[in-house]
Amino acid sequence: MLLLALESSCDETSAAVVRAGKVCANVVASQIKLHEEYGGVVPELAAREHLRNLLPVARAALAEAGVTARELDAVAATQGPGLPGALMIGFKAAQAMAFVLERPFLGVNHHEAHLYSPWIAGTPPQADFEHFQPNVSLIVSGGHTMLVQVAGEFRHRVLGGTIDDAAGECFDKTGKLIGLPYPAGPVIDRLAETGNAAAYDFPRPLLHDASDDFSFSGLKTSVRYFVRDHPEILENAQPLRDLCASVQAAIVEVLVTKTVRAAKRLGVSCVTASGGVICNRALRAQLAAACARARLTLRLTEPRFSTDNAAMIGIVAERKLATGTPVDSLDAEIRPNWALAD
Ligand code: KG4
Ligand code: ZN
């Protein structure tokens, strides 16, 4: 099945072409530059930018895959969750394409796409559902932090999530407090590399709590007070790097400890992890080390499929259509608050 997928839930406009589990093209136009001066995503600007970029990005994906729109067997798009104005652009465009091409259409849950993105790997990238194992999965993005038990393909239940800020939000808001550009996650990652993670002691929220929930707003607040009391740190390169490493260590320890603990408790032998924050090198390394110690297999989404992209939408859509999921109506609406387990 040759399928075109569109993703426009937040600040990346993306189109991908997939065929038989293979990613033939995955084009991503990031809006980071546009939102940088506001220190976060401005929904109205995001929607307008999606409108501007969508067709060029879709054309580029078709050209890269060497196919025409007429050859497509199906069209898919992110249906939710996400920013309503942004979601609408990709979703309605995909329905319009399905309408004129007279092809089936499927709306995909953005988190479900992140959830199965660890199974996309290799060159060319290919979905490896043949080696699927029941797992505990950590989704860490700019807007969400979740632990999910995945019993089988598209059989999953949410174990816990953040009760306030997401992990990516914590990276971004902490970065803003210490004067770093948006999104601060990648910058903190880089500065932390040459910093001392034991320099400053920050709280590890809910680390010893029995639930699978997370909370990061208290950590952000403690950074705010720390910076207020030690403003000189921001003027000096090494203490700033130490601060980044220390904050990152707190976030990473909570994520790693709670993920591995849930996997052991539920008796699964595999851990997977996805979402923009999984690009973080300390998180990748420490999850790998903790899983090795606990004799758990670890599948991390490759960085190119970790931040928002249409390839993960297309892989899930094609797999679902191929395994009998009913197609969606061309009148279906976006679902901005669509929970993963609904
Ligand atoms: O999944 P994603 O592209 O968007 C959402 O669906 O939210 O994730 C974006 C988030 C941002 O908060 C960004 O700061 C974070 O991922 N991020 C990182 C790194 N790369 C991206 N956080 C920490 N370290 C990184 N290397
Ligand atoms: Zn995402």
Side-chain angles (χ1 to χ4, degrees), residues 103-332:
R103 296 287 187 268
F105 167 78
L106 194 69
V108 173
N109 181 299
H110 182 86
H111 291 142
E112 194 163 57
H114 275 306
L115 190 60
Y116 293 92
S117 63
W119 303 94
I120 312 172
T123 313
Q126 177 89 36
D128 181 19
F129 286 113
E130 287 66 41
H131 293 102
F132 179 87
Q133 287 175 269
N135 60 83
V136 160
S137 194
L138 173 71
I139 306 178
V140 268
S141 71
H144 293 84
T145 299
M146 267 187 266
L147 266 178
V148 185
Q149 181 177 16
V150 190
E153 264 183 54
F154 308 124
R155 286 195 294 122
H156 43 254
R157 70 181 178 107
V158 177
L159 297 167
T162 182
I163 56 176
D164 41 56
D165 291 354
E169 211 172 346
C170 187
F171 271 107
D172 295 339
K173 289 181 174 173
T174 303
K176 199 169 179 178
L177 287 172
I178 60 180
L180 303 179
Y182 172 85
V187 187
I188 293 179
D189 184 348
R190 202 167 55 243
L191 291 173
E193 200 176 10
T194 46
N196 174 9
Y200 311 113
D201 192 19
F202 287 107
R204 270 72 171 151
L206 300 187
L207 181 65
H208 301 295
D209 184 82
S211 79
D212 294 313
D213 288 331
F214 300 92
S215 162
F216 290 107
S217 80
L219 172 56
K220 172 195 65 192
T221 306
S222 69
V223 175
R224 174 176 290 128
Y225 290 140
F226 182 82
V227 171
R228 182 196 66 190
D229 297 341
H230 306 87
E232 71 287 352
I233 283 185
L234 305 187
E235 310 302 324
N236 296 290
Q238 191 55 44
L240 181 65
R241 290 195 284 261
D242 293 345
L243 176 60
C244 288
S246 301
V247 173
Q248 178 176 277
I251 299 172
V252 167
E253 185 180 341
V254 173
L255 294 174
V256 170
T257 306
K258 298 200 82 159
T259 304
V260 171
R261 188 195 295 158
K264 284 191 194 162
R265 187 186 75 234
L266 294 165
V268 298
S269 58
C270 178
V271 164
T272 67
S274 62
V277 179
I278 213 69
C279 293
N280 185 272
R281 289 167 300 170
L283 178 55
R284 294 178 83 82
Q286 287 182 40
L287 257 181
C291 286
R293 277 196 302 275
R295 297 181 190 284
L296 294 162
T297 308
L298 175 65
R299 279 194 88 121
L300 294 172
T301 305
E302 291 182 5
R304 61 189 161 150
F305 299 123
S306 296
T307 47
D308 290 346
N309 66 88
M312 65 181 187
I313 306 293
I315 289 295
V316 162
E318 194 201 21
R319 189 78 179 171
K320 285 198 158 194
L321 288 172
T323 52
T325 299
V327 302
D328 283 321
S329 154
L330 296 183
D331 297 323

